[in-house]
Amino acid sequence: MRTQAPARPAGRLRKWWSGINWRTTAVAYLFMLPALVIIALFVFWPIIYGLPLAFTNYSVVGETRWVGLANFRRLMHDPYFWDALKNSVLYVAVVPVIQIGSIILAVLVNRPLKGVGIFRTAYYLPVVTSSIAAGIAWKWLYDYKGIINAPLLEWGIIDKPIYFLSDNRIALWAVMAMTAWKGFGYYMVIYLAGLQSIPKELEEAAQIDGAGRLGVLRHVTIPLLRPFALIATLMSVMGALRVMEEVLAMTGGGADTNVVALYSYQTAFQHFEFGYGAALGWVMALIIFAFSLVTFRLNKGGFKPE
Amino acid sequence: MTAHAVKRAGKVRTLVKNTLLYLVMTAIALLMVFPFLWLLSTSFKTASNVYAFPPQMIPNPATLDNYVGVTKMVPIWRYLKNTAIITALGVGLNVLFSTLAAYPLARMRFPGRDIIFGALLSTMIIPNGAGMIVNYMTLRTLRLTDTFLGVVLPSAATIFSIFLLRQAYTTIPKELEEAARIDGAGDLFIWWRIMVPLIRPTLLTVVIFDFMAHWNSFIWPVVVMKSPDNYPLAAGLLYLQGQFSYNFLYLAAGTVISITPMIILFLLLQKYFINGVAGAVKG
């Protein structure tokens, strides 16, 4: 036994080594080469280099120095950061709205009705347009004399127009409404895929066993839909925390609507403080990671990859 | 009640239920499409009836002045050309590189495969905060800022596409590959003449999603491009919004021009758009 023990891993290694088809390996890596170079350079390198960058004062002007925790200390006392952080966290409130709305849409368009494709198309339409175009369209709805304000004013429901995008108290919610509208169609499709993956026989079997409509929903549909709900929720939580284009398009970050991603962008590309921007980016990444973990935990037991 | 009457009562109930369902679904559809319809309507209005009450859904009088005006004031056609270049270059590179890379990941056995696959997977979980900043610095080092190649290079091979395509390759029967190999076909030949044609539907999905991403992107092109002359349409709109916020009619016309090609493509290929999201989640 004792004499064989060290030989075994070596043997396994040798077996592994001799099992390699070198020609195939070379071909495989040649096929992957362009993609791997690009992904290494533009996906992995930012992850690696972003962290040390956050500890420098890297900027367009001046000499780059290692500044230790200075960026993070500055961040602690930066009121713009705290406002942006508060708004980013508030933005997550859009997630349940999107999820519930898109489940309802998915259930509606999952029926074998004539012309149901037209409705799927209509619900998905906002997804395919750019945030800037959608933002401009919504800005127009929100105009102080626009199609929302005009009738309310005319009928005397309000006596002053609602300044949706410049009133500090409601601007963020007005932008979130646009994000929800733009997201419903996307997540509807995810839930639709979920609903269609449930075998019809299962629901019928439950009905034969005496389950009512609610029973089927509770014991068959919802449990089988959970993996899809987890993915959809995770994606929309990340999306909400990362949001910047919608905010930029509608308010430019004004009226107490700035979010961390946009603030990081402004810091880097408008104030040219790359080091501080990178620090903001990293704090952001940590927050997204934390939220994702929480989402996973809340769905514990629901995620069972086959 | 006779059996006939019961059947008819059931039919009536279904009819009522379906009618209600159609009404609800139509109402939601109108809500979803309304912002664009309203913008479209506005783009044909004159300054004097833009705030008319009751609001005019169909403009009276309708005018093309805003379209003529915006194309005179802003280089819309130039923006459109830039968008076309960025989209074609971006989609072309990503489809080529991702289709190549996904093939061995799906169908070959070689050391490092699982590590590479795992590393790619992990990037979807790890959020990347400082990506835009570092990527801009990389492009500057490569002297690619202010170029179309610089705009598309960071997304010239996307992990999303590689996953979708890998999934498609795995469904192809092994025999096809083996038969070709016995006939003496080389790897590139097998990939290009046998595999790629078989994954065409997934390829189309990748093309569509990539097209959408490039056509709609505006922040990254603004970062990479120094000169507004090189902006794509969506970035041009952002610029236009800053410059002409006082002239909403022009902005509306410009926005309609920018989204029309995307909406036409979507209406033509909506099946692939919708199946694409579903496929990515199931994959």
Side-chain angles (χ1 to χ4, degrees), chain A residues 17-55:
Chain A
W17 184 260
S18 60
I20 295 172
N21 183 335
W22 290 104
R23 204 194 148 273
T24 305
T25 305
V27 171
Y29 278 94
L30 278 176
F31 267 82
M32 296 186 300
L33 187 69
L36 290 185
V37 169
I38 285 171
I39 290 169
L41 200 59
F42 294 104
V43 179
F44 286 102
W45 178 240
I47 295 174
I48 298 164
Y49 188 62
L51 192 58
L53 188 64
F55 293 95

Side-chain angles (χ1 to χ4, degrees), chain B residues 160-177:
Chain B
F160 175 78
S161 315
I162 294 176
F163 281 162
L164 268 188
L165 291 164
R166 195 195 83 103
Q167 197 62 21
Y169 282 126
T170 52
T171 60
I172 300 172
K174 253 200 162 66
E175 292 76 31
L176 276 172
E177 217 172 342

Side-chain angles (χ1 to χ4, degrees), chain B residues 38-57:
Chain B
W38 187 234
L39 192 77
L40 183 70
S41 156
T42 302
S43 70
F44 292 109
K45 285 179 184 168
T46 58
S48 57
N49 63 356
V50 65
Y51 284 122
F53 196 89
Q56 300 179 328
M57 202 61 221

Side-chain angles (χ1 to χ4, degrees), chain A residues 23 29 58 114 123 140 143, chain B residues 22 25 42 51 111 140 187:
Chain A
R23 204 194 148 273
Y29 278 94
Y58 191 97
K114 235 193 206 129
Y123 300 163
W140 183 232
D143 192 87
Chain B
Y22 275 121
M25 282 161 64
T42 302
Y51 284 122
R140 217 172 41 181
D187 294 285

Side-chain angles (χ1 to χ4, degrees), chain B residues 187-242:
Chain B
D187 294 285
L188 266 179
F189 183 90
I190 292 175
W191 169 72
W192 177 244
R193 300 300 288 272
I194 296 170
M195 294 305 196
V196 171
L198 286 171
I199 56 159
R200 217 178 277 155
T202 309
L203 218 48
L204 191 59
T205 305
V206 170
V207 169
I208 285 167
F209 274 90
D210 225 34
F211 188 99
M212 187 163 96
H214 284 291
W215 190 274
N216 289 340
S217 76
F218 63 96
I219 291 198
W220 180 242
V222 167
V223 167
V224 177
M225 293 301 190
K226 283 196 195 93
S227 151
D229 276 352
N230 289 333
Y231 283 178
L233 255 173
L237 281 182
L238 186 71
Y239 186 60
L240 190 70
Q241 200 187 17

Side-chain angles (χ1 to χ4, degrees), chain A residues 156-184:
Chain A
I157 296 169
I158 50 174
D159 49 6
K160 269 190 310 209
I162 304 168
Y163 292 96
F164 287 99
L165 295 174
S166 51
D167 184 330
N168 282 337
R169 288 162 303 169
I170 51 174
L172 187 72
W173 304 96
V175 179
M176 280 160 67
M178 194 274 258
T179 300
W181 166 81
K182 217 173 171 315
F184 286 137

Side-chain angles (χ1 to χ4, degrees), chain A residues 168-228:
Chain A
N168 282 337
R169 288 162 303 169
I170 51 174
L172 187 72
W173 304 96
V175 179
M176 280 160 67
M178 194 274 258
T179 300
W181 166 81
K182 217 173 171 315
F184 286 137
Y186 190 80
Y187 297 103
M188 168 192 81
V189 173
I190 293 181
Y191 285 112
L192 197 59
L195 287 172
Q196 287 176 354
S197 75
I198 298 172
K200 275 265 172 299
E201 302 82 53
L202 229 65
E203 291 180 324
E204 278 160 15
Q207 261 167 349
I208 290 165
D209 288 347
R213 192 175 278 215
L214 275 177
V216 173
L217 195 69
R218 211 181 120 200
H219 297 294
V220 181
T221 314
I222 290 175
L224 288 173
L225 215 52
R226 274 184 82 163
F228 292 88

Side-chain angles (χ1 to χ4, degrees), chain B residues 67-99:
Chain B
Y67 287 89
V68 176
V70 76
T71 46
K72 274 189 186 152
M73 286 191 86
V74 187
I76 290 269
W77 304 118
R78 200 196 163 104
Y79 287 161
L80 203 59
K81 198 185 88 191
N82 296 340
T83 314
I85 295 172
I86 290 172
T87 305
L89 197 62
V91 172
L93 287 179
N94 185 22
V95 167
L96 176 66
F97 292 166
S98 302
T99 311

